[in-house]
Amino acid sequence: MFLKFKINNELLGILYMLLCQFSFATNDAFVNVIYQKYDEMFALNQIIFIRGIFTLFFISLFLYIKNKLHFKKMFSSRELTLRGVLEALSALFFFIGIALLPFAQVYILLSAAPILLTALSAIFLKEKVRWIRWSAVLLGFGGVIVVINPGKLEFGYYFIFPILAAIMLSIRDMYTKNFKKDYPSLQIAFMTCLVVTILFGLLSFYKFYDFSLMDIFILFIAAFFLALGYIFSIATIKIALVSATSTFRYSVILWGILYGYFLFDEVPSTNSYIGALIIIISGLIILSRQKKLGEIK
């Protein structure tokens, strides 16, 4: 007699979130593998452009299967286009950070995005943020300073790029909150990916690189994982409460550390570990407070 195990929605949502973060980190790791082969900043433009074409194919295929591939609706939406522009700017800063900083450190600094979102929402959207969350925001900024380690600045001022990426993500999320229409998540992902691909495609004209078939294949696999990341992120939201799964978003830092160590021979500094812990604690306090106030479920 076989034992039957029943997985509730929360556990399944957590699993999807872990797979989501693993997929995103794997995609970025493959991109970094190709970049390090050429070791020129401008190579990133062509890398992201080619990966974007493949990702659009995968997302389009899934939208077609779900009968939601409505080009007219997507292309006529200024909301989706502007959101895509914000995402494209974030991607630009993020991949510059990937090129110049240790792999894991970029993820640690990018994890400050929810903290920045809380601060920016209070300032620009006039959302009520009381002393507990403001304390968590200050704690998170303290964690960022620990990671940066201003007394040493081992990597100079390159830390600014993942922070700029986190700021752009926060602005993107603030803008998304005010959408007048309700768009399917994959349509948002498609338009976001399209704008990012167009931007890096235009930048690719500056310098062309002769990629090998193996390079193209690796980018095809990277695109597959990026599309999987989008799909798992949507599945997570649909199947479980945000409050039950958001904590596991920080698992991307673990994947960043593992990929950094095994693929790029990087060992994070003690400051990076301590700062990451502080940022995670800060994010969890904000998340807990939002749940208590009923802002998330």
Side-chain angles (χ1 to χ4, degrees):
M1 183 177 181
F2 294 101
L3 293 175
K4 293 184 178 180
F5 296 95
K6 185 178 180 181
I7 301 178
N8 60 35
N9 285 351
E10 279 72 23
L11 287 176
L12 197 56
I14 289 169
L15 175 61
Y16 286 157
M17 178 60 79
L18 292 172
L19 290 171
C20 165
Q21 299 308 314
F22 166 75
S23 298
F24 284 141
T26 302
N27 150 68
D28 294 332
F30 279 132
V31 167
N32 201 28
V33 165
I34 300 298
Y35 166 76
Q36 293 207 357
K37 178 180 176 181
Y38 293 88
D39 199 24
E40 287 188 29
M41 186 67 67
F42 295 112
L44 277 172
N45 299 326
Q46 195 168 323
I47 290 170
I48 306 307
F49 173 64
I50 294 172
R51 186 205 62 171
I53 292 174
F54 289 139
T55 307
L56 286 170
F57 166 75
F58 287 123
I59 296 176
S60 298
L61 183 62
F62 196 78
L63 281 169
Y64 177 77
I65 293 171
K66 301 289 288 185
N67 197 28
K68 292 182 179 179
L69 189 62
H70 307 308
F71 288 118
K72 184 177 180 180
K73 178 182 177 182
M74 291 188 292
F75 291 159
S76 63
S77 171
R78 292 183 179 179
E79 290 178 329
L80 293 184
T81 302
L82 182 53
R83 187 187 186 278
V85 171
L86 294 171
E87 181 86 22
L89 291 173
S90 175
L92 182 63
F93 294 133
F94 173 78
F95 283 109
I96 292 175
I98 286 289
L100 299 174
L101 292 168
F103 197 69
Q105 192 176 77
V106 176
Y107 283 118
I108 293 170
L109 293 174
L110 195 69
S111 294
I115 301 165
L116 289 167
L117 179 60
T118 300
L120 293 176
S121 295
I123 296 169
F124 295 105
L125 299 183
K126 307 301 180 184
E127 292 184 1
K128 288 185 178 180
V129 177
R130 302 191 185 278
W131 69 270
I132 294 179
R133 276 193 285 176
W134 273 122
S135 298
V137 168
L138 292 175
L139 179 65
F141 288 151
V144 170
I145 292 173
V146 171
V147 175
I148 293 170
N149 194 6
K152 192 176 181 181
L153 279 181
E154 183 179 356
F155 297 97
Y157 292 94
Y158 294 146
F159 67 83
I160 193 66
F161 291 108
I163 291 177
L164 286 172
I167 291 172
M168 295 310 304
L169 287 177
S170 302
I171 295 173
R172 179 205 68 183
D173 290 341
M174 281 197 304
Y175 177 70
T176 304
K177 281 184 179 181
N178 294 319
F179 270 9
K180 295 178 181 178
K181 296 180 181 179
D182 185 25
Y183 300 95
S185 299
L186 268 180
Q187 288 186 0
I188 296 176
F190 177 89
M191 284 302 295
T192 297
C193 184
L194 178 63
V195 176
V196 171
T197 303
I198 290 173
L199 171 66
F200 282 93
L202 292 173
L203 293 175
S204 296
F205 284 108
Y206 181 80
K207 188 174 182 179
F208 182 79
Y209 295 82
D210 188 16
F211 286 179
S212 67
L213 285 177
M214 179 55 69
D215 294 336
I216 301 296
F217 177 73
I218 291 174
L219 291 176
F220 180 82
I221 299 301
F224 174 75
F225 276 104
L226 180 58
L228 276 185
Y230 284 128
I231 292 169
F232 281 128
S233 66
I234 294 165
T236 299
I237 294 170
K238 287 188 175 182
I239 202 168
L241 300 177
V242 173
S243 58
T245 62
S246 290
T247 303
F248 297 89
R249 189 180 301 276
Y250 292 105
S251 63
V252 74
I253 294 176
L254 174 61
W255 296 120
I257 292 172
L258 291 174
Y259 279 130
Y261 180 79
F262 287 107
L263 291 182
F264 312 117
D265 295 321
E266 298 171 353
V267 179
S269 65
T270 303
N271 280 62
S272 293
Y273 284 118
I274 296 173
L277 181 61
I278 294 172
I279 291 171
I280 291 171
I281 291 173
S282 170
L284 294 180
I285 292 172
I286 291 172
L287 178 66
S288 174
R289 193 63 183 164
Q290 286 176 317
K291 181 181 178 182
K292 188 173 181 179
L293 295 174
E295 293 178 9
I296 60 171
K297 295 183 178 180

